[in-house]
Each structure stands twice: as C-alpha cells, then as structure tokens.
Amino acid sequence: MARRRIEEHHVTLTESHPQTVEPTPTTSGVPDIGALREISRRVLWLATAIVDAANRGRPNASGVKVGGHQASSASMVDIMVALWFHELTSGDRVSVKPHASPVLHAINYLLGDLEKKYLTTLRAKGGLQSYPSRLKDPDTVDFSTGSVGIGATASLWAALSHRYLRTHFDATPTSGRFISLIGDAELDEGAIWEAVADPAVAGLGEVLWIVDLNRQSLDRVVPDIQIDRLKGMFAAAGWQVLTLKWGRRIGKIFDRSGGAELRQRLEAMPNEEYQRMLRAEPTEVPQRILAGGATPQLRDLIVGLEPTALADAIRDLGGHDLSLLTDTFAAADTSRPTVMFAYTVKGKGLPTEGHPNNHSALLTEPQMRFLAAACGTDLHDPWRRFEPGTAAADLCIRRAGALHRTPAADSRALVVPTALAHPHRKPTSTQATLGRLLADLPRDAPETAARVVTCSPDVASSTNLGGWINKTGVWSATDRRDWFADDTERVLRWSEAASGQHIELGIAETNLVGLLGELGVTWSRWGQRLIPIGTLYDPFVNRALEPWSYGIYAGCQAILVGTPSGVTLAPEGGAHQSITTPSVGLEQPGCIAWEPAFAQDLEWTFLHAMSRIGIPGGTSAYFRLSTRPIDPALACLPEDPYLLERRRNQAVAGGYRITEHSPRLDQVTLVGVGAIMPEVLEAADVLHAQGVTAGVVCLTSPDLVFRSFQQRSLRAPGVGGAIIEELLPADAPAPLVTVLDGHPHTLAFLAGARGDRITCLGVSEFGQSSDLADAYRLHGIDTASIIDAALRLVGVPVRNVSQDPNGNDYAGD
C-alpha cells in the first residue's frame, strides 16, 4: 500500500495522488484506553454541568435565555479527550469549534489550567465566554472561534505565519501541529473553501482538521450525500482525507456472516432514518434494520444479537472510538494538510442524543441526575476531580506536564522613526507615497524594515508595493527559480525566496485578512514582533470585514490598507467606488482609522501606526488611501522645525487647521478629509474673495477626533486626547461644512462639539464611470457644492458667487 492502513473497515483514505504516509510517533506511547474512557465520561459530565449551572443554577432576573450547547459539546468529547490526553504536545495549537467551548473548559479544569470558581460562570460577566476566546477566557485558548468558518481557517494562517517566522528569525520557538476542530455544518461557510483552495495552503503538512460529522446543523439533519462531495473537494485541493465512520466494536460484527449486508444497510440509510433509529427503543432496532427486506444472512445476524447490544453497536461510530482515534492521529501526512471526517452522534451519551431538535436543548434536573449516575459522579458534587492515585488522575497529571507552555518572551524592542529623510515636493497620491515609504524603509530604518511583512490578494503592483517587493522579494518557504530574471523589460522583479518579505495570496480578501490576523499575533504567540501590512482595494474592505474584526478580537495588531478609495476612482465606475468604509473604520473596535490627504501626513501617520503594532497595549490600523495626486504645497507645512513638529503631533492626533487666522474669526469652518482637500481649500479661497472668512480643518483621522469628542464628553481618559479643542475651540463657534469622499454621516458628530449648525457633504449613492470633475459634481462634493453649502449656512445669497477667478461656474440662481 502507498499509505498507512489502520483497518480498512474503520478508516478510509481519499488521495488526490499516491503519497507515502509516514506515521508520526504518538506523544504518550501506548494509550491507556480505560483511563481515557473514564476521563471521557467525566469530561462529558463536566461540560454538560457547566452549561446546566449557567442556566438552572444561576439567578436570571432578565428572563433572557443564557443557553449553551450541551449536545454539540457531547459529540466532540471523545475526539478532544483523545487529543488532549494522549496526542497533543505543548507546541500544538488547536482551534476548537465554537459550540464545544464547555468541553475545552472541562478539559482545562481536569488539567489544572482552570480554577474551580469559573465552572459556574459560563456566559457571565468576568467568566467563561460563550465561545472560545483567546483574550477573554481565563484558561488556555489558542484561537478565538466565535465567527463560524473564520476561526476554523485560522489554523492555516497560523501555520503559514510560523513558517514565515522560522525563515526570518532564528530565535522563533518551534511549533507542532495546527489543528482545527470543525462542525460539519461549518463547512457550509464560503470562507472555508476560499482558504482550502488557496495554493499557499497545499504544502502545510503540519495542518490537521478534524470534522465532527454528527450530521446535524441547528435546524435539521444534514443530507447524507454531503460527505462524498466534501471529501472530493478536499482531495481536489491536495489534502489527505481520512474517514472514520465505524468503531472497532461494530467492525467485529461487520466481519461476521451477514456483517457486510449490515454495513451496506446502515450506510445506505438516509441520515434522517439513522437518526430516528437512535431514538427508538432497543427492542425496535432489529425490525428497523430489517425493514424493507433482508438476506437470510443479515436476518440471522440481527436475530442472533441481543437488542440492547445491537442498539449500542449502531452507535459505535469512529469519532467515539478512543483507540481508533489515537491510532489515526498518527496517520496524518506531514507533506500536505490532512482532514479527518470523524462520524459522531450529536448529544452522544445524553438523553437528547440524536434528536433533530437537540441543538439548543437543555437537560432537566431529572435528566442531569441520570447523567451523573451514568458518568459516576453526583449532581450535588458536580466539580469533583479524580481520586489521587487512580489511573485517570495520574494521566491528568502527566498530560498537564506534557502540555505546559513557557510564556512567550517579550517582543523585541524596536524604535520606529517618526519621519523619513526625503521631503515631499511634487504632487503625488497617498497610495504612491505608501509605495515610496516602504521602498525607502530598508535604507532609512533597516531594523524596522526587517520586521515588516506585506501581503495582498494578487494586487501588490496595483497597490504600489512594487518598489518594496523589488527590494525585499516575495516570500516562499523554499527558494524558487525566477524564470524572468534575464528579462530586461520587466518592472516588477518577482523573486521568490525564503528571505522575501511579501506574501501573495490568490484573489480572496477573506484569506488575506485571515493571514494578516495571524501575522498580527506572532508577538504574543511566539514572542516575535512583526509589522504586518495588508493591501487590498478599498471597495472590498467590507468583504473582508468579518475576518478583520475577528482577528482584532483575537488580539491581532496589523495595518490594513484600502486603496484606491471612493468615487475619486471615477473611471472605474460604481462597482469600484467605496462609500461606507470611512464610517466602518471609525466604528471598528481595536483599530484606528486614518485617511490622510497629503504625502507628509501619510508618512507621519503611517510610521506612527507602525510603532503601535506588535506591543502590549498596541492597536491595529486601517488606512484609506487614494490614487489622486495632490500638491503638497496645499498643506502649508511650517518651515520652522518646532512648528513642523507641532504639525506632526497634530496629524498623528487626528487633524490640524491649515488656515493661519484665529478660529475666532471663522464665519464658517470647512472640514475636509483625504482626497477632497483641494476642493475644500479652493472653496475657502473663493469664499475669502467674497468677504466670507472660512477656516479650514484637515482631518487625518476622523476616528481619533471622534474619540477625542467622546473622551471630553465622558470625562474619561483614552485615545484621542484634546485634539478636538484645537480644531474646534469651544469659544469660537461657527457653522460647519464637512466634506469627504465617503458617506456624509461619518463626520456628522462634529456638530455636537460646540452645538454648531452643520451641512455634511459626501457620497450616499452608487457612482458611475466618469471623469473626476463629473464624479464630484454628481455627488455634490465639488468646489461649487462646498461654496454653496457654506453660503447657505452663513446666510449669504448664492447668486453673489457665480464664477471662480478662472471663469468656471460655481453656483447660480
């Protein structure tokens, strides 16, 4: 055979190509199945009792259901016990399916990793989270998995991130397997298949996915045909596929006369028929199997089996056979990822097992008493550990020692510069400035550059990473020949090597942000600080929003760059014009959103954001950039070094005033963000010519200004400082016109800073292909619209202003 064969009727392997499988040695020698079974019964009890205590054992004045997932946990117990109490090493990292969190906490309790006081706190303030949380749970959790499909794929990106570290930094700790425990219904999520199909994943032999194939989702029994299609999809992507359908006990029955027919009958059953048989009385099971006709051999076999033994045997699925599980873990190929489909019964061992509506069902007190007796424990003493000296107690002690981890060392100290050497003199876009900044970084700040890793979904060149890639190369786990090295006409040198610092994925924003999330936790997971920077087209930020939010929730610190943005990308049309991203950035927890207008502002704010990545108390950042060239002279940078540093401090705080007159002289204040600043400044000049004094505020981060507003209002310390007082002094009220290439409500909060009247200009409709001037006129963010809004606020008739100094129409009657 070209693969390891455990027992043919227990395990099947689906292969996309012949591959010799070298079994990895088990970490704990020969498993003590008796001790594992005793631990499994106790874990089943503890996981169920944790949910029970949260619902029946805690006062609930609100009447809102606390919930939990006793049945979904029960199907995972044997798989997780086989892993934690036999297979795992301290270097392994496991992503646990969301609804199995009580099992994880029960295991951690038996291993001494969770205090007893937390067992009654599921879904309570300061207690165990509803789903595994890397930052909020009090015990060891490797991956946050509340977002279905996103947490499962995190193991892939963590494996890729660890490989990157190992090729760049010698001090990186070694790691083991990256394992995901996944519910079969979770495979409906598109994020799963985007990740599975990415070429970067095919060589990750340290990845193991175990699918809890209990054939139930929240509302229904999953159709049986699903499994063959799923196995084929994994195999087509180059994964090794293992299937554990039946346990060894029923396997012995299959070996008897009539056993082949029994197996054929059971496997031909629709899932619904099989599930219904699980709910039948043992005396009914023989007739249900024989219904519809049977061979004499099958009939003789069934009649010769005691009904209770037969009812137990049909429940003997591969995902509940501890000896089969421990043996099969060693069959995973180490040259490519492995997926293991483990058949289970949802609610295994509970009174609700196999019931199609057991997903959210909670056991009653009588049912809990029955379960306690079956598990050898007591409802009145639910948290009892094993008696010292027993095989189960000794195994818990040994495994606790084997799984102990030394905390990651503090990430390396790094001083990120506040500015680079080259001045910005020519008109340029913020997107082009980012490319120049990264290209200059290896020369101006080599230690900082060494920690930068960029990634993109096949848009590196169109998001201006070309210069950076030419200097640092594209990362590959192994060096690859550059067949275009002798092509003198190419601009982008795509040299792939283990020393490269750019990671390119396929066109899938979800994958990009998933990778970014795991690159952004290497500082806390392995003590190696990275500054991950991901670029994608800003219109597709919303597509990547859930994994981005998930990554930050799990502790990611990284920079996401959305570029190009807004209707400023006029010729591309509405499909490539982002509208809501400015407000999305403002509303995302754990992240600071930036939209600088000028090249110098981008340099200052981006370096500042880099300094906040990969450190305790740091934060992620989102930059919304543009392809529109803007003259840096419009920023009116001070020449005095002290005043220039003051401007830099204001820019990294969220904004500054460009006009030199006192805010008290403002008759109207124009507030602009990003690429629209030339129109804002031109409008101020025209207003001045008409005798209307307009102050101009340039915001680099509406997000930070809003935080400043909130901080002042709540009288609480926090990020944001007092910048809003500098921009809009309380003693200098004036009507406000806010303008940005995005949804106008983003800046509406500014009206509350002083109680000013306000007009918010922005984009609230889908765009269309046009030139830039037409796009701005279409959405009312052109110079004429800004002037019109300002004059209406100050009460000056619009007819007084009709043309600019060049004769262009602004507004008329």
Side-chain angles (χ1 to χ4, degrees):
M1 291 289 288
R3 58 185 182 266
R4 185 177 183 214
R5 181 173 176 173
I6 299 175
E7 285 189 37
E8 191 175 60
H9 55 252
H10 301 311
V11 181
T12 58
L13 288 82
T14 303
E15 307 240 16
S16 57
H17 57 276
Q19 177 76 44
T20 300
V21 178
E22 295 294 336
T24 55
T26 181
T27 60
S28 304
V30 178
D32 183 341
I33 300 301
L36 287 176
R37 178 52 61 195
E38 187 174 355
I39 291 173
S40 180
R41 285 194 294 267
R42 186 61 56 86
V43 169
L44 174 63
W45 165 255
L46 288 171
T48 309
I50 286 171
V51 178
D52 182 66
N55 288 272
R56 288 196 313 107
R58 207 160 60 215
N60 185 358
S62 70
V64 176
K65 178 183 176 182
V66 176
H69 297 89
Q70 292 173 327
S72 295
S73 291
S75 64
M76 284 297 304
V77 167
D78 294 314
I79 294 171
M80 293 177 67
V81 166
L83 281 171
W84 266 265
F85 291 92
H86 178 73
E87 179 67 18
L88 296 183
T89 71
S90 61
D92 295 329
R93 298 293 186 272
V94 186
S95 170
V96 177
K97 79 170 189 177
H99 292 165
S101 64
V103 182
L104 177 61
H105 298 311
I107 288 173
N108 283 339
Y109 172 65
L110 291 179
L111 293 173
D113 188 35
L114 180 67
E115 296 180 52
K116 178 180 177 180
K117 67 180 182 180
Y118 287 108
L119 298 179
T120 59
T121 66
L122 180 69
R123 302 189 175 195
K125 181 182 178 182
L128 303 176
Q129 300 303 297
S130 54
Y131 310 119
S133 173
R134 185 170 176 264
L135 298 185
K136 296 181 181 295
D137 273 315
D139 50 340
T140 299
V141 176
D142 293 329
F143 297 93
S144 301
T145 57
S147 296
V148 176
I150 305 299
T153 61
S155 63
L156 302 178
W157 312 125
L160 201 65
S161 299
H162 185 261
R163 285 197 178 196
Y164 179 88
L165 290 179
R166 294 287 289 174
T167 58
H168 285 77
F169 308 107
D170 294 336
T172 301
T174 58
S175 189
R177 286 177 173 175
F178 294 86
I179 302 171
S180 286
L181 307 179
I182 307 169
D184 53 348
E186 195 167 6
L187 296 180
D188 290 341
E189 289 288 340
I192 294 283
W193 301 107
E194 287 187 347
V196 167
D198 195 285
V201 169
L204 298 177
E206 63 269 46
V207 166
L208 171 64
W209 281 11
I210 304 171
V211 179
D212 171 21
L213 197 69
N214 60 43
R215 293 175 277 190
Q216 286 183 238
S217 60
L218 194 153
D219 293 326
R220 64 175 183 146
V221 177
V222 178
D224 200 13
I225 195 172
Q226 183 94 331
I227 178 62
D228 293 330
R229 179 170 60 85
L230 295 175
K231 290 193 295 186
M233 292 167 70
F234 275 105
W239 288 51
Q240 180 190 32
V241 182
L242 303 174
T243 304
L244 282 70
K245 189 159 191 176
W246 301 107
R248 285 174 169 151
R249 182 153 51 97
I250 196 172
K252 293 178 180 178
I253 298 176
F254 290 155
D255 289 338
R256 294 164 58 178
S257 175
E261 291 91 335
L262 173 60
R263 177 173 181 170
Q264 183 180 11
R265 169 72 176 110
L266 293 175
E267 293 186 353
M269 283 184 179
N271 283 339
E272 295 89 342
E273 182 183 1
Y274 176 79
Q275 297 282 110
R276 180 63 187 89
M277 188 168 58
L278 296 177
R279 303 293 302 169
E281 291 294 327
T283 54
E284 299 177 26
V285 173
Q287 289 306 313
R288 287 182 176 274
I289 293 176
L290 297 173
T295 65
Q297 293 86 352
L298 176 57
R299 185 173 297 278
D300 289 344
L301 175 65
I302 296 301
V303 171
L305 291 170
E306 197 274 324
T308 301
L310 178 60
D312 288 342
I314 64 170
R315 289 167 165 79
D316 183 30
L317 299 179
H320 298 303
D321 188 324
L322 288 165
S323 66
L324 181 60
L325 284 165
T326 55
D327 286 350
T328 307
F329 290 144
D333 193 346
T334 58
S335 66
R336 55 183 172 145
T338 294
V339 60
M340 179 189 302
F341 289 95
Y343 279 74
T344 63
V345 176
K346 190 166 183 175
K348 182 70 164 66
L350 304 182
T352 57
E353 74 172 14
H355 195 285
N357 302 125
N358 64 8
H359 183 82
S360 299
L362 299 171
L363 268 58
T364 64
E365 182 174 347
Q367 289 174 325
M368 288 296 296
R369 292 183 186 279
F370 177 84
L371 179 66
C375 294
T377 187
D378 190 338
L379 183 61
H380 297 294
D381 186 15
W383 316 124
R384 188 173 68 220
R385 286 190 169 95
F386 296 111
E387 293 296 325
T390 62
D394 290 344
L395 182 55
C396 288
I397 292 172
R398 290 197 305 272
R399 294 302 296 159
L403 296 175
H404 175 74
R405 295 175 186 165
T406 301
D410 291 339
S411 53
R412 179 181 174 184
L414 182 68
V415 178
V416 179
T418 59
L420 299 182
H422 295 163
H424 302 277
R425 295 192 177 95
K426 298 180 180 179
T428 187
S429 68
T430 49
Q431 177 177 296
T433 302
L434 172 64
R436 173 178 162 180
L437 183 154
L438 291 174
D440 288 348
L441 205 61
R443 180 188 62 249
D444 292 0
E447 290 190 1
T448 298
R451 295 283 163 172
V452 171
V453 53
T454 60
C455 48
S456 64
D458 199 35
V459 294
S461 57
S462 56
T463 54
N464 276 66
L465 296 183
W468 163 259
I469 292 173
N470 286 343
K471 287 194 175 184
T472 63
V474 178
W475 179 76
S476 173
T478 56
D479 293 354
R480 302 181 64 179
R481 180 172 178 177
D482 182 3
W483 290 95
F484 287 85
D486 59 349
D487 186 347
T488 58
E489 295 182 1
R490 73 172 183 175
V491 176
L492 183 62
R493 294 193 295 273
W494 202 261
S495 177
E496 298 180 74
S499 59
Q501 290 180 247
H502 174 76
I503 303 176
E504 189 86 352
L505 299 180
I507 305 177
E509 287 79 11
T510 298
N511 289 347
L512 164 77
V513 175
L515 174 59
L516 202 65
E518 288 303 316
L519 290 168
V521 299
T522 59
W523 67 277
S524 58
R525 201 187 290 284
W526 292 296
Q528 286 288 358
R529 181 181 182 181
L530 291 176
I531 303 176
I533 301 168
T535 63
L536 75 167
Y537 292 161
D538 195 67
F540 306 134
V541 164
N542 285 322
R543 183 183 297 176
L545 188 58
E546 185 191 356
W548 177 239
S549 184
Y550 157 82
I552 295 173
Y553 173 78
C556 158
Q557 295 176 17
I559 299 175
L560 183 66
V561 179
T563 182
S565 64
V567 299
T568 299
L569 192 62
E572 291 283 353
H576 276 61
Q577 295 173 359
S578 52
I579 296 173
T580 62
T581 48
S583 56
V584 166
L586 186 149
E587 294 158 7
Q588 175 59 51
C591 176
I592 297 175
W594 304 87
E595 190 172 353
F598 302 104
Q600 186 64 73
D601 291 347
L602 184 279
E603 178 184 306
W604 285 334
T605 57
F606 204 85
L607 291 171
H608 174 75
M610 291 171 68
S611 73
R612 304 297 303 156
I613 300 294
I615 60 174
T619 183
S620 289
Y622 159 56
F623 279 82
R624 188 173 190 256
L625 304 185
S626 174
T627 53
R628 183 189 187 187
I630 296 180
D631 187 350
L634 294 176
C636 299
L637 288 175
E639 295 183 3
D640 182 272
Y642 296 104
L643 295 180
L644 186 64
E645 176 62 12
R646 181 174 184 269
R647 169 67 69 86
R648 187 193 71 81
N649 287 329
Q650 290 176 324
V652 300
Y656 52 87
R657 293 181 70 94
I658 293 182
T659 44
E660 297 181 355
H661 63 259
S662 169
R664 294 185 181 86
L665 300 179
D666 283 2
Q667 293 175 270
V668 64
T669 304
L670 310 181
V671 182
V673 181
I676 204 71
M677 283 307 299
E679 281 68 29
V680 174
L681 290 164
E682 188 175 14
D685 289 341
V686 174
L687 290 169
H688 179 74
Q690 299 298 314
V692 177
T693 303
V696 176
V697 172
C698 177
L699 299 187
T700 55
S701 173
D703 187 355
L704 287 180
V705 175
F706 177 73
R707 297 183 195 206
S708 176
F709 169 70
Q710 288 289 91
Q711 180 179 330
R712 185 192 65 181
S713 301
L714 300 175
R715 293 196 174 103
V719 177
I723 188 64
I724 198 166
E725 297 288 356
E726 296 183 45
L727 303 177
L728 303 174
D731 62 350
L736 302 176
V737 177
T738 65
V739 196
L740 78 162
D741 186 357
H743 200 282
H745 106 273
T746 308
L747 301 179
F749 72 90
L750 290 174
R754 301 178 303 201
D756 299 319
R757 288 182 298 126
I758 191 169
T759 296
C760 298
L761 304 182
V763 181
S764 55
E765 302 289 341
F766 289 115
Q768 57 182 280
S769 295
S770 67
D771 62 25
L772 185 63
D774 285 338
Y776 281 6
R777 272 194 296 270
L778 175 67
H779 296 283
I781 54 175
D782 58 321
T783 304
S785 297
I786 299 170
I787 295 170
D788 178 59
L791 293 178
R792 291 181 188 278
L793 281 173
V794 299
V796 175
V798 177
R799 62 178 179 273
N800 288 352
V801 179
S802 59
Q803 291 185 331
D804 69 5
N806 297 319
N808 297 315
D809 289 339
Y810 276 128
D813 292 326

